[in-house]
Amino acid sequence: MNIVVCVKQTFDSEAKIQLNQEGFIDESLVKLIINPFDEYAVEEALRLTEAYGGRVTLVSVNPIEPAQALRQGLAMGADSAVWLDCSGIDCADQHIHAELVGTWLKSQEFDLVLCGKEAIDDGAAEFPSRLGEVLDLPQGNTVSGLKMENGKAMVRRDIEGGYEIIELNLPCLLSVQKGLNEPRYPSMRRVMEAKRKKIDRIVPEDLGLSNEKLTPFVRVEAYMLPPPRRAGKILEGTCEQTVADLIRSLRDERTMGQEER
Amino acid sequence: MAILVLAEHRNNKLRKAAREVVSEGRALADELGEVLFAVLIGHKISALADEVNKYGPEEIYLADDPGLGVYNTETYAQVLEHLVEQLKPRLVLMAHSAMAKDLAPRVAQRVGAGLLTDCVDILRDDEDLSFVRPIYAGKCLVRMKIRTPSQFVTLRPNSFSAVERPGSAEIKAFEISLEMPRAKSMGVEMLEGEGPDLTEADIVVSGGRGLGDGDGFVLVKELAKMLGAAVGASRSAVDAGWASHQMQVGQTGKVVSPKLYIALGISGAIQHIAGMGTSKCIVAVNKDREANIFRLADYGIVEDLYKVIPVMIDQLRNTQAGSRSPKVM
């Protein structure tokens, strides 16, 4: 089975977020990584092709070459990587990413499209379902369990307090969740090999997309740092005293109810 | 001009987050001089209209069909798509739930609408609305506008209040002939556990690596039960196999924003804070005075959690019973 995995390059979560003078996020000291949820997607693709044969192709939309993300996937074992270069357009909108990837995918043969369920930088969780719509594929989001049975995907997806079980014919689109698998650590050798692999670069012109399809639907007005929390305090005293203090404070603040349950 | 809200329900009850969304829809409709429409999708759901009515929409649409009894992306998307086409709402609101994450972008793409998910605030700028959402693990907020005539927005649970405004909504049946979906819903498996949903709970009690052992969660759950709280876990606890990934709070887990978050044996790594940093009040119990969590916590107790939790349970039980505990100094 041929599998396409959509990966995103994101800021490392340890990154310190600061705004520069123009009110934009200062990207200078930020470490770039493959979106953690996309790693589960790459791993799942590799497991499936190891079991059933086929190729794993990575695709990523970014204004600069997402080398960290793509080479991590290649080092894990993906066969090829495609960079959809959106530097020539205003691509800060998930619908544009979906149009770009979707249009490119229409020229490709695939049995399965995998994505991480969301990116840790914007946390939007928007791209997978938009892509599912562009490609008119049946979809399953936040998948934490997957089995292939008789050529169909049996999927377990996370919902509040439990799981939904869905059966999907191929081709389909799935976004994956932590818990699906344990991503492999590529060996040093594979990491070095991946550095030599070619990343194919495609621009929107190559895809013949109209400007209308590439107009952002959303616009940033301002970035703001969240208000700082009030200073907290460490309660001192014996265990009994600190707990009593705590309960009293929480009740006084009405954070916790006064009433018996 | 109209605002349309999706009123999500579970087990014949309106979900808590749905009540917040309908309330916010009502507030916006009042401010903008619009009408509020609500839609209920499911099977045998007419009784739920009474609940939705408590939050004041002008009209409640019932998409009631055996084919809608269980959630399915394709059938629910058909309903929403046709309803949006008919009502042409300027704003479509949902709670940022598992359903909405699957459904909202699909329908937004189908109807050519912009979408902003997981919003924590809505601001008004004349006739325009702007929406605030957290990014970069909550370390930054971004205020955004949607430029399409129809705007799809999902709201983070616990960020808006549910306010009852009883109304006399007109209830309308929304008929639709559903196309067979290609994906087959095979059923739902609910996890055992009492207590509210993690993302909607008012109080969350979480256990971390400091528990030392999976058995520690027995105590965590006992405290949670006492408080009517949901139980969460840090990534360490989940990776150690002490808790399911569904309980994980953090960057690669769930984002929660309860009134009270009690972190037990949790060091407070950045990735964990990403999932609970907007909690209104944070209490931390950890043996290590230098633990990062104390920088964030409103109240900290530096002590072995296995000493603290039993005392907490004891004092709560005594004061709940209505008698002042003589042990409290």
Side-chain angles (χ1 to χ4, degrees), chain B residues 7 16 42 72 96 103 130 174 177 212 218 284 297 308:
Chain B
K16 179 168 176 255
N72 180 290
H96 190 59
L103 186 62
S130 60
F174 186 70
S177 60
V218 170
V308 173

Side-chain angles (χ1 to χ4, degrees), chain B residues 1-32:
Chain B
M1 285 253 260
I3 296 178
L4 174 65
V5 297
L6 172 66
E8 238 189 279
H9 52 92
R10 170 82 62 84
N11 296 331
N12 292 318
K13 276 203 328 239
L14 214 52
R15 292 195 57 207
K16 179 168 176 255
R19 291 186 251 130
E20 293 162 10
V21 169
V22 184
S23 300
E24 183 62 16
R26 178 73 265 159
L28 287 170
D30 289 345
E31 256 192 276
L32 297 165

Side-chain angles (χ1 to χ4, degrees), chain A residues 140-170:
Chain A
N141 274 300
T142 324
V143 172
S144 60
L146 171 62
K147 262 194 333 236
M148 299 303 301
E149 270 176 28
N150 305 320
K152 296 189 203 212
M154 290 295 294
V155 154
R156 186 190 76 177
R157 81 181 211 97
D158 287 0
I159 59 171
E160 290 86 357
Y163 305 103
E164 278 178 358
I165 314 295
I166 325 175
E167 182 190 83
L168 299 119
N169 289 325
L170 302 185

Side-chain angles (χ1 to χ4, degrees), chain A residues 13 15 121 141 162 253 260, chain B residues 102 106 136 139 246 299 320:
Chain A
S13 49
D121 53 10
N141 274 300
E253 287 176 12
E260 320 72 82
Chain B
D102 187 71
R106 186 101 191 190
Y136 296 114
K139 287 186 266 197
Q246 289 249 43
Y299 300 99
Q320 277 182 6

Side-chain angles (χ1 to χ4, degrees), chain A residues 13 15 121-122 124 130 137 139 141 158 161-163 165 167 178 217 221-222 224 229 235 253 260, chain B residues 102 106 109 117 133 136 139 141 143 145 147 184 186-187 189 191 245-246 248 279 298-300 320:
Chain A
S13 49
D121 53 10
D122 64 19
R130 279 197 182 271
L137 291 174
Q139 68 183 41
N141 274 300
D158 287 0
Y163 305 103
I165 314 295
E167 182 190 83
K178 179 188 160 96
F217 287 165
E221 297 284 299
M224 304 160 298
R229 289 187 76 94
L235 302 169
E253 287 176 12
E260 320 72 82
Chain B
D102 187 71
R106 186 101 191 190
Q109 184 68 23
T117 58
R133 58 187 307 282
Y136 296 114
K139 287 186 266 197
L141 295 168
R143 178 161 55 86
K145 282 193 175 171
R147 304 159 89 168
K184 215 156 71 173
M186 307 289 281
E189 280 171 19
L191 287 166
H245 77 268
Q246 289 249 43
Q248 185 175 325
S279 304
D298 297 286
Y299 300 99
Q320 277 182 6

Side-chain angles (χ1 to χ4, degrees), chain B residues 137-138 156 198-199 204 248-258 261 269-279:
Chain B
R156 180 177 283 194
L198 196 47
T199 56
V204 174
Q248 185 175 325
V249 170
Q251 185 169 81
T252 50
K254 295 197 163 68
V255 174
V256 302
S257 196
Y261 188 89
I270 270 282
Q271 292 84 355
H272 187 75
I273 293 176
M276 42 66 74
T278 56
S279 304

Side-chain angles (χ1 to χ4, degrees), chain B residues 92-131:
Chain B
V92 179
L93 281 179
M94 305 181 209
H96 190 59
S97 63
M99 180 187 292
K101 287 179 215 185
D102 187 71
L103 186 62
R106 186 101 191 190
V107 181
Q109 184 68 23
R110 188 171 300 179
V111 306
L115 166 66
L116 290 172
T117 58
D118 203 22
C119 295
V120 296
D121 204 359
I122 301 180
L123 304 168
R124 189 170 152 215
D125 179 12
D126 274 340
E127 285 310 302
D128 242 348
L129 292 173
S130 60
F131 306 92

